Structure formats: structure tokens, C-alpha cells
């Protein structure tokens, strides 16, 4: 046996070969490309030795002739969720996937595609390898958020990218304090605060001046938005930290807390927002030719000159 063949078999070793595929797509963000890739994906999968299902959200928006699999029935060892869409679709799928401990891989039909790796025209070749066990699996953590007051919880949500405190209907700068592990960090007067995972460091947090963090870091970054103080800067803290935002009673209107720009809730003056790592991690799959820095160069337009 030659060395290359041996390495390939070692790569395959201990990897799951998938038998049940669950399709996920969001209609309200869909374009013609999502439809095309979804139907092409179904045609491809029906020729493989797999069972094909769709999530209930997919069934609500697309005319795909495969059975619906209820979420309480997901989570077998050989299940795989395939997302067709952009990063926003994968963010939505992630919140579902962590509850059933099912891996996710994405076909990019969005704009950036930091999380959805597979290009539409490579769908068959890339997935053929993934289905039989040739892939990389990466664990990404989510943030769990809770709005509460006097021991009563008003809202709970999860975010793969970021939790954002923003002005809501307030027209002035908002006031709040940040505590990490019950220690005061600072009082803020600003447009709000972005609390980002390493996964989300290339999303909203980046546009607000936050650092790019490698996705395998166990860290959270706090990025103040347009702070009244010029000394307010992004702050990177340990991923296991317990964070609290204490919303000042001096705010005249309700503020807003959102998770991945999707789930959101108004937060009243005097309430508190607790943020910490979710105990369940996302199992994100990549084709074997995936490289994080290649993705950064491609998506951010970094120049890559050959040295010679």
C-alpha cells in the first residue's frame, strides 16, 4: 500500500459515514440560486445510499419532494444537516443543530460565506467525499443570553456569531455597565455593545473595529459601538467568563438585545442581561481542502503574493 493511500485511510478512520441527510433552507432570504441548489442537491442525494429528509422550516418555504423529519426525531449518530443558503441560514440551523447534537455543513448561496464552504458547482464532488467520511469536523461555541430582573427570566436565546445590545427606540446614547465574573469592567455611554464569539469576529464585530479571532480560540470579544469615550476599546476575555450587562435606569426608553441579528427582545431600564458560553457546541463540517486562512484571504480581499 502506498503512503498516500495509507494516509487517506487514516483520514477516514473514526469518521462517521452519513446515512440520513436533513435539508435546511430559509425561504425569506432565498434567491433563485437557493432553489436551484436545493433541487440539484435532492437529485444528487437520491442517487446516493442515504435517506433524505427536510426540516419543517424548509418544507414551509420550498416545494421539495422529500419527507419532513421532526426535530425531536433528529440526532442519530449518522445524521447530517446540509444548509443551502448564506451564513445567516447556517446561523439559524446552528441553533437547531446544537439541540440535537447533529453536524452541519453548508452550500454557499449567500454573499460572504465564512461558514458555508461548498461552492454550488462543486456540490456533487465535495459532498460525495463528505458522505463517506472524508471531512474535517470543527467545534464552534455559541453564546447563551438571558434577560432577567429580580430573579425572573424574560428571554433566553443563543448566538453563534454575536449578542448585540443596541438602542432600540432610544434616540440618545444608552447607558449600561459591564461586569465580568461579578467584577465591574466599565460604565458605558454608547450606541451599544457587541459581544462576539471567535466565529462572529469576522461579522458585525469586525465592522465595529473588533479583532479577527481564530475560530478555535476560547475567547469572547466585547466591542463598544460608537462610545462617548475615546478610550473605549474592544476587550478580549476568557471564553468561560460570566458576563453581565446592567442596564441603567437613566435610559428613557427600552433597549434591544438580539442574538445573531435574528432573535431579539426589548430590555427595560434596570434589567440585566447575562451572557455566557452555551454548554452545547456546534459541530461544523468542512471538506478536507478547507483552510481557514484561505477563507480569510478570499472573503476579505487580502493580497497573497508568491515569494520567490
Amino acid at each position: 500500500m502506498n503512503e498516500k493511500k495509507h494516509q487517506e485511510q487514516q483520514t477516514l478512520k473514526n469518521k462517521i459515514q452519513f446515512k440520513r441527510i436533513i435539508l435546511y433552507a430559509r425561504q425569506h432570504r432565498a434567491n433563485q440560486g437557493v432553489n436551484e441548489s436545493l433541487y440539484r442537491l435532492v437529485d444528487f442525494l437520491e442517487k446516493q445510499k442515504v435517506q433524505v429528509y427536510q426540516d419543517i422550516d424548509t418544507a414551509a418555504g420550498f416545494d421539495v419532494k422529500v419527507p419532513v423529519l421532526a426535530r425531536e426525531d433528529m440526532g442519530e449518530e449518522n445524521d447530517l444537516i446540509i444548509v443551502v443558503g448564506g451564513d445567516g441560514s447556517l446561523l439559524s440551523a446552528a441553533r437547531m443543530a446544537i439541540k440535537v447534537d447533529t453536524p452541519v455543513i453548508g452550500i454557499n448561496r449567500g454573499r460572504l460565506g465564512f461558514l458555508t464552504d461548498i461552492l454550488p458547482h462543486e456540490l456533487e464532488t465535495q459532498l460525495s467525499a463528505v458522505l463517506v467520511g472524508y471531512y474535517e469536523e470543527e467545534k464552534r461555541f455559541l453564546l447563551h443570553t438571558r434577560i432577567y430582573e429580580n430573579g425572573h427570566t424574560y428571554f433566553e436565546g443563543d448566538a453563534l456569531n454575536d449578542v448585540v445590545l443596541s438602542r432600540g427606540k432610544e434616540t440618545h446614547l444608552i447607558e449600561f455597565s459591564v461586569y465580568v465574573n461579578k467584577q465591574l469592567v466599565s460604565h458605558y455611554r454608547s450606541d451599544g455593545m457587541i459581544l462576539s464569539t471567535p466565529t462572529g469576529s469576522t461579522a458585525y464585530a469586525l465592522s465595529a473595529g473588533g479583532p479577527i479571532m481564530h475560530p478555535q480560540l476560547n475567547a469572547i470579544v466585547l466591542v463598544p459601538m460608537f462610545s462617548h469615550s475615546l478610550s473605549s476599546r474592544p476587550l478580549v476575555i476568557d471564553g468561560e467568563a460570566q458576563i453581565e450587562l446592567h442596564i441603567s435606569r437613566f435610559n428613557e426608553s427600552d433597549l434591544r438585545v438580539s442574538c445573531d441579528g435574528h432573535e431579539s427582545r426589548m430590555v427595560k431600564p434596570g434589567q440585566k442581561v447575562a451572557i455566557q458560553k452555551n454548554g452545547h457546541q456546534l459541530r461544523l463540517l468542512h471538506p478536507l481542502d478547507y483552510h481557514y486562512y484561505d477563507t480569510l484571504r478570499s472573503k476579505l480581499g487580502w493580497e497573497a503574493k508568491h515569494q520567490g
Side-chain angles (χ1 to χ4, degrees), residues 176-180 183-189 193 232 235:
F176 57 96
S177 301
V178 175
Y179 289 78
V180 173
Q183 297 182 16
L184 175 66
V185 175
S186 185
H187 301 288
Y188 290 90
R189 288 188 70 234
M193 175 74 75
S232 290
L235 176 66

Side-chain angles (χ1 to χ4, degrees), residues 81-154:
I81 297 170
I82 300 180
V83 177
V84 181
D87 287 342
S89 297
L90 198 137
L91 293 174
S92 293
R95 291 188 287 271
M96 172 185 76
I98 62 166
K99 294 172 183 172
V100 293
D101 190 31
T102 299
V104 175
I105 195 165
I107 297 168
N108 183 27
R109 275 299 189 173
R111 290 184 293 273
L112 276 175
F114 272 102
L115 298 170
T116 47
D117 294 337
I118 297 176
L119 296 174
H121 67 276
E122 296 179 344
L123 182 158
E124 291 88 356
T125 53
Q126 295 276 29
L127 284 179
S128 293
V130 169
L131 291 178
V132 296
Y134 290 95
Y135 58 84
E136 298 290 344
E137 180 172 327
E138 210 179 14
K139 298 287 180 70
R140 302 282 185 97
F141 75 82
L142 287 79
L143 294 176
H144 184 73
T145 308
R146 183 170 66 94
I147 299 174
Y148 71 99
E149 185 178 25
N150 298 325
H152 179 73
T153 297
Y154 295 93

Side-chain angles (χ1 to χ4, degrees), residues 6-22:
H6 177 71
Q7 287 176 348
E8 285 179 351
Q9 289 194 354
Q10 287 298 108
T11 302
L12 181 59
K13 193 177 180 182
N14 298 323
K15 295 284 179 68
I16 296 168
Q17 297 189 42
F18 299 105
K19 297 299 181 187
R20 294 203 312 177
I21 306 301
I22 301 138

